[in-house]
Amino acid sequence: MKNLKFIKAFLILVLGFVSCDNNDYDNTPDLQAIADVFVRCTKVDNDTVYAPVFYTYSNFLMASVHAEGPNDSDIDTDLSQYNIKKVFRSVPSENDFTSDDIENGIYQFEITADDLQVYTITDKLREERLDPVEITEFKYNKNLHSFDIDWENVEDRDVYVVKIHDQIDGEVIYVSDQLISSNHKIITGSNKSNNWSDFTTVEGETYVVGVYAYKFEVSNAASGYDINCESVEYREIEW
């Protein structure tokens, strides 16, 4: 169940095909994977800053994943296993953000499987970017652990998603459905839905609420994969 919730949380609904340097596959290979590079936009001290995010999903066990950007990007990074060996990622720390945008173009992912077979897949980062999400109203009822959130409309976004994590990019506690309107209510208690994971919250602990806007490579909100840009603003709450 946790894996399904994780996939839903990051809007990945399908797998892409793997290409292997030494083997030819037909249109329905047994081994499948998808690589996704996208830009995270946020605001720091009223300045818009950017950082790259990398994900690789597969239906086989991976030992390591390495990503390289276009020649002009100087991006060369190793992804880390996230929860299971079928999901690897590289997410930015605070120091990774810069006022310079991320280089567009073809990004190459080299996957080493558990059996030491090496596969190469690519993803194209396109030029579309979003303005950072700006939360205008954030009401949190600590007794009910319920939320009422409004934010400015983000032009050209495909969908919004609201998530609660144990920390930024950490375990997903709650993930909304894909949203079109720029407001959302979260209600716990008897109305607690399948949008909540089985993560055990602790009274007094600090958690992170993120309001995300997404721009996909293909503007089809129903598909929910191939992210090109993610903009976000966070709020910390005490449970």
Side-chain angles (χ1 to χ4, degrees):
M1 179 179 291
K2 180 181 287 187
N3 294 341
L4 292 177
K5 290 180 182 295
F6 172 80
I7 292 171
K8 179 182 178 184
F10 288 96
L11 309 178
I12 304 300
L13 303 181
V14 298
L15 291 174
F17 296 138
V18 171
S19 64
C20 177
D21 293 338
N22 300 318
N23 295 281
D24 293 326
Y25 289 97
D26 63 17
N27 289 329
T28 54
D30 292 332
L31 301 181
Q32 296 179 316
I34 187 171
D36 207 2
V37 55
F38 56 92
V39 176
R40 179 177 294 173
C41 306
T42 191
K43 187 160 283 190
V44 176
D45 297 329
N46 292 320
D47 294 325
T48 299
V49 292
Y50 309 88
V53 182
F54 302 90
Y55 274 90
T56 301
Y57 301 84
S58 70
N59 66 353
F60 57 90
L61 299 180
M62 297 182 288
S64 65
V65 180
H66 182 78
E68 293 184 5
N71 292 335
D72 295 336
S73 69
D74 294 326
I75 292 177
D76 191 331
T77 186
D78 291 316
L79 282 62
S80 301
Q81 177 185 329
Y82 182 65
N83 282 345
I84 59 175
K85 297 185 75 173
K86 295 182 179 181
V87 181
F88 275 64
R89 70 175 188 173
S90 175
V91 293
S93 65
E94 184 177 342
N95 294 331
D96 293 325
F97 286 90
T98 173
S99 57
D100 296 326
D101 199 356
I102 309 305
E103 188 73 23
N104 298 319
I106 301 298
Y107 284 71
Q108 182 168 291
F109 295 72
E110 184 176 272
I111 301 171
T112 302
D114 256 11
D115 62 5
L116 301 184
Q117 288 287 321
V118 177
Y119 306 93
T120 301
I121 53 179
T122 61
D123 188 46
K124 184 176 183 179
L125 182 63
R126 303 175 187 274
E127 64 183 8
E128 292 85 359
R129 300 291 187 267
L130 297 173
D131 291 331
V133 171
E134 295 187 37
I135 297 173
T136 57
E137 186 173 25
F138 187 88
K139 295 180 180 178
Y140 170 53
N141 186 316
K142 186 176 179 180
N143 294 324
L144 299 176
H145 304 308
S146 299
F147 305 80
D148 195 341
I149 310 170
D150 291 86
W151 56 90
E152 291 284 352
N153 182 62
V154 178
E155 188 175 355
D156 292 331
R157 71 9 190 184
D158 289 319
V159 296
Y160 302 110
V161 176
V162 177
K163 308 175 194 175
I164 305 176
H165 304 266
D166 66 337
Q167 58 183 313
I168 293 177
D169 291 316
E171 290 288 334
V172 176
I173 301 171
Y174 169 90
V175 55
S176 72
D177 297 327
Q178 294 182 1
L179 307 170
I180 302 301
S181 62
S182 56
N183 55 77
H184 187 57
K185 296 180 185 293
I186 303 175
I187 302 173
T188 59
S190 60
N191 293 320
K192 197 168 184 179
S193 68
N194 291 331
N195 295 90
W196 294 84
S197 74
D198 54 5
F199 182 92
T200 302
T201 52
V202 178
E203 293 289 336
E205 288 292 318
T206 298
Y207 299 104
V208 175
V209 181
V211 177
Y212 298 80
Y214 287 99
K215 182 69 176 179
F216 300 128
E217 293 175 18
V218 177
S219 296
N220 182 350
S223 66
Y225 63 92
D226 285 339
I227 299 167
N228 196 75
C229 185
E230 168 193 82
S231 78
V232 61
E233 186 174 11
Y234 303 104
R235 288 283 192 276
E236 289 189 347
I237 57 99
E238 182 179 296
W239 201 258

